[in-house]
Amino acid sequence: MMKITKAIFPVAGLGTRFLPATKANPKEMLPIVDKPLIQYAVEEAVHAGITELIFVTNSSKRAIEDHFDSNFELEATLQERGKKELLDIVKGILPEGVSCAYIRQKSPQGLGHAVLCAKQLVMNEPFAVLLADDLIDGGPQSCLAQMVACFKDLQTSIVAVEQIHPSETGKYGIVDTGASTDQMARLSGIIEKPHPEQAPSNLGVVGRYILTPRIFSQLENTKRGSNGEIQLTDAIAKLLQEEPVYAYRFQGKRYDCGSKLGYLEATVAYALKHPELAGDFKRSLESLVA
Ligand code: UTP
């Protein structure tokens, strides 16, 4: 019986859609209300039972390492000033028993390449991949926790999918699950960014995966695909010829925070349920749109 304890966070993309904000700041450090995107993803992973966090970074993503490290000066000052609540928030960013490892992707050669960079740290175990720019509000059970629960029974690779608008297939990996409309369906194919007329379905892959270590040998043999990058989708397409891979329609709402519109939607939605801000923010919003 295999257990998922490791998660890869590929954070080495350029974030060009958010320039100039992402010129010197990592996209994953953009806040939704008061927490950076990457922290939401880490909290989701920890909630799902992950204890080893593996970040695939590059030279301009140091802020992420600093965020999950302790900041002695800040903590000492908060302590001195009696700011207990803030101190707890700062200290709680990385829960006890959870460790971080960082590995560099030397150049942005695609998501598949970024995942492959973590091979030595993952070793021969199934693992999760979370893309922090897909922010998922899963409700009582986070999206990854739902997937980990499914993995307990299936013991094989699972990709999270959702129904997307038919005109948007060119932005996603699109799965083929035949005629199945089940919440969990076995893949017969997967294709990266197809034109709408070539898309096998309207089910797009979102940034949550559970993968078996066999994906690494597939990635090692994957040639550059869409955008000239090594695509994780192409390696999954080969993996499913060797072992079952499932598509899981998760419960919850996803915000595409890699795009400006999705980011703004997430900000509004999270502010509207923020314990301290909700009331005032709702009134400001109403007066803005009136
Ligand atoms: P995106 O397609 O969102 O690319 O990558 P991006 O570079 O981050 O953003 P844009 O499109 O230029 O605005 C999906 C995920 O894969 C990671 C990104 O950090 C993001 O989490 N990624 C992508 C890498 O880690 N390395 C890569 O070479 C490419």
Side-chain angles (χ1 to χ4, degrees):
M1 183 87 158
M2 297 181 290
K3 230 181 127 207
I4 313 283
T5 60
K6 296 180 180 176
I8 302 179
F9 299 85
V11 293
L14 294 176
T16 54
R17 283 170 290 168
F18 263 101
L19 283 169
T22 48
K23 180 163 178 268
N25 285 316
K27 168 172 79 174
E28 298 77 12
M29 287 301 291
L30 293 175
I32 299 294
V33 187
D34 49 10
K35 253 192 265 179
L37 282 168
I38 190 68
Q39 194 180 331
Y40 287 97
V42 162
E43 285 175 2
E44 180 178 335
V46 171
H47 172 252
I50 303 289
T51 51
E52 290 179 58
L53 316 175
I54 302 166
F55 298 86
V56 182
T57 71
N58 66 29
S59 56
S60 57
K61 306 277 178 159
R62 286 200 196 100
I64 297 176
E65 290 179 48
D66 291 345
H67 186 72
F68 292 103
D69 199 355
S70 52
N71 181 335
F72 180 75
E73 210 181 319
L74 175 65
E75 287 173 22
T77 309
L78 292 174
Q79 178 90 46
E80 232 172 73
R81 295 185 184 167
K83 306 264 185 202
K84 168 114 182 37
E85 242 173 75
L86 288 177
L87 185 62
D88 289 345
I89 289 175
V90 168
K91 281 187 156 174
I93 291 175
L94 191 67
E96 220 147 292
V98 177
S99 68
C100 296
Y102 299 89
I103 188 140
R104 292 260 176 112
Q105 184 186 25
K106 291 203 178 76
S107 59
Q109 297 179 56
L111 175 60
H113 181 261
V115 170
L116 185 55
C117 288
K119 180 183 170 189
Q120 303 308 326
L121 292 168
V122 170
M123 295 187 291
N124 202 26
E125 286 175 36
F127 59 97
V129 178
L130 295 97
L131 306 186
D133 48 4
D134 271 335
L135 175 62
I136 303 182
D137 184 354
Q141 207 184 13
S142 73
C143 177
L144 190 67
Q146 295 170 38
M147 293 169 76
V148 166
C150 298
F151 179 83
K152 279 194 183 125
D153 297 330
L154 292 170
Q155 297 283 301
T156 193
S157 299
I158 304 169
V159 299
V161 297
E162 73 174 13
Q163 191 93 41
I164 55 144
H165 193 273
S167 64
E168 299 211 308
T169 57
K171 291 187 187 167
Y172 295 87
I174 302 292
V175 299
D176 187 351
T177 54
S180 172
T181 53
D182 295 345
Q183 190 173 21
M184 179 70 80
R186 188 166 169 180
L187 292 197
S188 54
I190 184 168
I191 170 167
E192 183 66 16
K193 301 188 170 67
H195 285 291
E197 56 281 10
Q198 268 130 35
S201 74
N202 292 331
L203 289 179
V205 177
V206 306
R208 301 291 182 275
Y209 308 77
I210 288 178
L211 296 167
T212 60
R214 197 180 266 197
I215 194 72
F216 291 123
S217 46
Q218 301 298 357
L219 281 167
E220 277 161 345
N221 295 312
T222 297
K223 297 202 174 65
R224 284 167 201 287
S226 169
N227 287 342
E229 295 181 331
I230 296 176
Q231 297 291 349
L232 184 57
T233 302
D234 295 344
I236 295 173
K238 291 194 283 176
L239 183 67
L240 62 84
Q241 289 169 4
E242 291 187 349
E243 59 181 43
V245 178
Y246 285 84
Y248 174 66
R249 294 191 205 206
F250 61 95
Q251 273 163 1
K253 165 98 179 122
R254 178 192 68 114
Y255 300 92
D256 174 12
C257 294
S259 79
K260 288 173 202 168
L261 189 62
Y263 177 79
L264 291 171
E265 273 170 14
T267 301
V268 171
Y270 277 65
L272 284 174
K273 55 177 207 161
H274 191 283
E276 285 158 29
L277 286 173
D280 288 345
F281 183 66
K282 188 162 184 275
R283 279 186 288 279
S284 316
L285 205 57
E286 279 163 358
S287 70
L288 273 177
V289 294

